[in-house]
Amino acid sequence: MELPRAWQRPDPLRGLDRIPWHELSDGRGSAEGVDRLLRALVASARDERERALVSLSDRLLTDDTVSEASAYAVPFLVELGASYKVAAHVRDRVVFLLAALALAGKGFTEDGKRTRRRWNSAGRELPRTAPDWITQTRHAVAVGAPKIFEALAQERVGCVVALACAVADRCPEYVEALMSDIANECDQTDTMLRESADIALHLLQKQDTPDLLVRGLAQGHPDVLREYETNARPAHQPREITVAQIGYRFALISAYGDEELEMPSGPP
């Protein structure tokens, strides 16, 4: 019997030694050590893997800010997230991290300052000075995401839904059916996962996103509603991005409850 694709994937960290991490920046200095954290994700000891997950999130997504190291780490995170040779709890957290990286609202500049995503009054995103790690990181996640959707297509898990919300504009066509299955088949008690999958479907189908819809999604979730009503988001941010962030938040809560995990800032 042929093994599932996720079991057939090669070493997820192949090529890691070819990246000059000591020459890259994580926004606060050298990215040296990021490779060791990536290797620690496949360590035999669970506590070592857990520590690496926390440290890696801090290095690659500092206060919702991505860097050169973030963009270079994404291909390895994709392979880790798509491999059943990796512990399930690591895969889930890695895929959530990829979604958060794609939704990041800030990026480090070459001199260690931060640049933010901004939009004009027409909702068009304003360009940023190169190197634009926000765009490069998001692109890397979008390019790698199909590997994860293919590998985890049979899994009804929040991390897959979060990733679909984060890169809905770049998802393969079959992801829409996957999200529909999750929305219709998930445990009826798991309302957060169902709502998150519904949001992913809305984004994948490129439906209009009126303000009333966003408020409706936030109803029943006081912290999300409060952040939306107090405009805790960049001026002119398209509602589709706000909805994607809400979908990510719902998927995260579905998986971990209110546990404090790394997530993009802004609404929600």
Side-chain angles (χ1 to χ4, degrees):
M1 184 176 67
E2 186 179 15
L3 289 172
R5 291 291 296 273
W7 281 101
Q8 299 178 41
R9 302 200 69 81
D11 175 14
L13 298 179
R14 67 192 185 284
L16 188 64
D17 291 333
R18 293 198 291 270
I19 306 298
W21 297 98
H22 64 286
E23 297 178 6
L24 305 183
S25 171
D26 66 0
R28 295 172 294 184
S30 169
E32 185 175 6
V34 168
D35 53 335
R36 290 194 296 273
L37 292 174
L38 288 166
R39 285 196 181 89
L41 296 181
V42 294
S44 57
R46 183 182 178 112
D47 60 343
E48 184 177 353
R49 299 195 299 266
E50 293 284 359
R51 288 195 299 270
L53 283 165
V54 173
S55 297
L56 202 58
S57 293
D58 180 61
R59 295 288 297 274
L60 302 181
L61 190 63
T62 307
D63 186 27
D64 192 38
T65 310
V66 293
S67 65
E68 183 179 28
S70 308
Y72 275 83
V74 164
F76 300 104
L77 294 173
V78 166
E79 292 296 336
L80 288 162
S83 175
Y84 278 142
K85 298 176 183 178
V86 177
H89 75 281
V90 173
R91 285 201 319 271
D92 284 2
R93 293 279 290 273
V94 162
V95 177
F96 271 117
L97 176 57
L98 283 166
L101 289 168
L103 289 170
K106 291 172 280 187
F108 282 110
T109 61
E110 286 186 310
D111 57 1
K113 296 180 180 178
R114 301 184 195 222
T115 183
R116 299 171 182 268
R117 296 188 74 179
R118 300 181 187 278
W119 293 264
N120 63 21
S121 58
R124 294 189 179 89
E125 189 163 5
L126 300 176
R128 291 172 289 274
T129 303
D132 177 3
W133 297 119
I134 298 174
T135 298
Q136 292 195 50
T137 301
R138 176 176 170 76
H139 175 72
V141 174
V143 168
K147 293 182 180 180
I148 292 175
F149 291 129
E150 180 182 10
L152 305 184
Q154 303 305 314
E155 303 287 340
R156 302 298 187 257
V157 288
C159 64
V160 173
V161 182
L163 187 60
C165 289
V167 294
D169 57 331
R170 302 285 295 277
C171 283
E173 291 184 4
Y174 66 82
V175 176
E176 183 176 330
L178 176 59
M179 292 301 108
S180 180
D181 288 345
I182 292 176
N184 294 326
E185 297 175 10
C186 70
D187 189 329
Q188 292 302 304
T189 63
D190 194 350
T191 58
M192 300 301 280
L193 181 59
R194 187 168 62 252
E195 289 182 17
S196 181
D198 283 337
I199 289 172
L201 274 174
H202 173 88
L203 294 168
L204 289 164
Q205 293 169 353
K206 297 180 173 58
Q207 300 178 36
D208 290 337
T209 308
D211 180 71
L212 187 62
L213 172 64
V214 183
R215 291 182 181 277
L217 290 170
Q219 292 293 336
H221 308 285
D223 57 334
V224 176
L225 183 61
R226 181 172 56 255
E227 289 171 355
Y228 185 72
E229 291 183 336
T230 56
N231 291 318
R233 60 190 184 280
H236 310 303
Q237 174 175 287
R239 285 189 288 269
E240 289 76 13
I241 293 178
T242 302
V243 167
Q245 293 171 335
I246 292 175
Y248 171 90
R249 171 74 70 89
F250 286 179
L252 194 72
I253 294 173
S254 170
Y256 300 106
D258 292 325
E259 180 182 342
E260 289 296 325
L261 295 173
E262 193 70 42
M263 63 178 66
S265 62

